[in-house]
Amino acid sequence: MVLRSQVLGCGGYLPERIVTNAELAKRIDSTDEWIVQRTGIRERRVAADGELTSDLAVAACREALIRAGIGAAEVDLLVVATSTPDETFPATAARVQAAIGMTGGAAFDVQAVCSGFVYALAVADNFLRVGQAKTAIVVGAETYSRILDWTDRGTCVLFGDGAGAVVLRAIEGQGTIEDRGVLSTHLFADGRYHDLLYVNGGPSSTGTAGVVRMEGREVFRHAVVKLAQAVDAAIAANGISSSDIDWLVPHQANLRIIESMGHRLGLPAEKVVVTVDRHANTSSASIPLALAEATADGRIKPGHLVLLEAMGGGFTWGSALVRW
Ligand code: UT7
């Protein structure tokens, strides 16, 4: 018998305020048409004044716990993926832990920018598979609106705020491809690409939070190649073919990247979960938000084979294959 991390439930939270492309186009030299054509984004959510990353995370966790049908007291591991923490320290996870009423176990943040959820999922999965924890919540939560240069049209139109959470439990099984749970995770990083996507501040450099700087075209070029590498690794490690995949749930950075990955896998558009049109790029929150949506509306069902992939600053990238 082997332990595997089964998904018990997902939750998501989006701030109330919707900012449309038209609203942005009043402030910067851009148009709704350009943004939709180049990115697929139509609108994004922006957190209210005083609404913090931890607030978004807590709302997502609460919904995930309800859908999982368990209480916070049963959770002994909380991993929050974020690159927009409330404070330099302690970890945003500590605030979330207190707010949801989880008093035991471990709570910490993982920082891998847009790949953060896949990284955090891999960390939690490893804790559960070796028996160091039994029930985990993995959260992706971001308030990118706070680290955008709202005068830079090349970046400010791309991002949004939000949070998503997934509850996992270690359950014994035969360890076959049919058994439910996380089947594999593959993580990659190459810090030589720092300058293509970074935030120009931080506690040890400028003492301020800084704003996002990105060479969009270059990041796009690398994303397509690196995501293909991550996806191929998942397929090879599990001995499956792409036609076995029921759902592709990609990081939501750009509809053109999402479509190119779907196309490469030979998946019809109906098998690819897309939220980028309404959420924009919510960094580490984009995958769990998409999972929360596609499980709540009944698209993703128990037994389905779900492939996750993401790429972001660092560079970091990775994939996870989950039997739902
Ligand atoms: O989540 C982490 C990973 N991030 C990504 O995967 C993002 C990857 N990159 C992208 O999604 C795309 O590269 C962008 C959406 C950022 C840009 O699209 P693009 O097709 O690569 O455009 P570009 O950067 O090559 O720019 C084309 C033109 C430029 O004008 P010139 O130099 O041709 O005159 C830009 O200045 O579009 C201009 N431009 C804009 N025009 C109107 C850039 N941003 C805007 C804008 N509105 N918001």
Side-chain angles (χ1 to χ4, degrees):
M1 299 293 268
V2 295
L3 284 171
R4 194 170 271 174
S5 314
Q6 279 190 20
V7 178
L8 297 187
C10 303
Y13 175 78
L14 291 163
E16 258 174 51
R17 179 151 186 252
I18 296 172
V19 176
T20 62
N21 292 346
E23 191 178 334
L24 286 181
K26 284 184 202 150
R27 292 190 247 153
I28 50 163
D29 181 16
S30 187
T31 60
D32 175 54
E33 192 189 11
W34 189 96
I35 301 169
V36 172
Q37 270 183 8
R38 299 293 179 117
T39 71
I41 297 165
R42 294 180 182 278
E43 60 186 40
R44 73 283 297 139
R45 300 296 181 109
V46 171
D49 287 347
E51 192 176 33
L52 308 185
T53 293
S54 63
D55 297 322
L56 276 50
V58 167
C61 286
R62 288 195 176 129
E63 187 176 75
L65 286 167
I66 290 169
R67 294 222 178 113
I70 67 162
E74 294 179 53
V75 180
D76 55 1
L77 175 66
L78 173 66
V79 188
V80 176
T82 187
S83 41
T84 45
D86 289 11
E87 298 163 323
T88 302
F89 83 75
T92 299
R95 279 205 186 198
V96 176
Q97 186 202 28
I100 64 171
M102 172 191 161
T103 50
F108 56 88
D109 290 358
V110 160
Q111 219 286 41
V113 201
C114 295
S115 314
F117 181 77
V118 175
Y119 265 66
L121 183 74
V123 171
D125 178 47
N126 283 311
F127 268 68
L128 295 189
R129 281 192 297 107
V130 299
Q132 194 168 350
K134 180 146 178 52
T135 306
I137 309 185
V138 182
V139 191
E142 306 281 8
T143 47
Y144 264 56
S145 59
R146 308 260 156 76
I147 56 161
L148 292 176
D149 174 353
W150 288 98
T151 65
D152 175 16
R153 67 177 185 173
T155 53
C156 77
V157 303
L158 304 175
F159 296 92
D161 300 341
V166 173
V167 179
L168 299 170
R169 176 162 285 169
I171 295 188
E172 278 194 342
Q174 303 295 325
T176 70
I177 188 92
E178 300 303 332
D179 278 358
R180 296 179 57 202
V182 177
L183 301 180
S184 68
T185 55
H186 288 88
L187 305 181
F188 307 88
D190 191 337
R192 289 174 299 176
Y193 295 109
H194 168 276
D195 292 356
L196 297 181
L197 177 52
Y198 66 104
V199 166
N200 64 0
S204 177
S205 54
T206 61
T208 58
V211 291
V212 174
R213 292 287 177 238
M214 178 167 77
E215 299 291 333
R217 202 178 310 189
E218 280 298 295
V219 176
F220 190 111
R221 202 170 58 78
H222 283 285
V224 180
V225 176
K226 291 179 165 45
L227 290 170
Q229 179 194 9
V231 161
D232 288 349
I235 288 173
N238 290 284
I240 61 163
S241 76
S242 55
S243 58
D244 296 321
I245 297 165
D246 294 298
W247 293 102
L248 174 65
V249 184
H251 168 51
Q252 310 278 322
N254 185 315
L255 188 60
R256 289 185 289 144
I257 298 176
I258 294 170
E259 286 176 346
S260 89
M261 290 314 298
H263 189 73
R264 191 173 181 279
L265 289 165
L267 295 176
E270 306 84 69
K271 289 189 166 195
V272 182
V273 179
V274 174
T275 60
V276 71
D277 51 331
R278 289 158 292 124
H279 301 176
N281 181 349
T282 57
S283 192
S284 71
S286 84
I287 290 176
L289 265 170
L291 289 172
E293 194 171 285
T295 50
D297 67 18
R299 273 178 289 171
I300 298 178
K301 293 185 171 57
H304 279 170
L305 198 56
V306 181
L307 179 62
L308 317 178
E309 44 91 329
M311 186 268 187
F315 287 153
T316 55
W317 63 104
S319 64
L321 191 69
V322 185
R323 176 71 69 184
W324 212 259

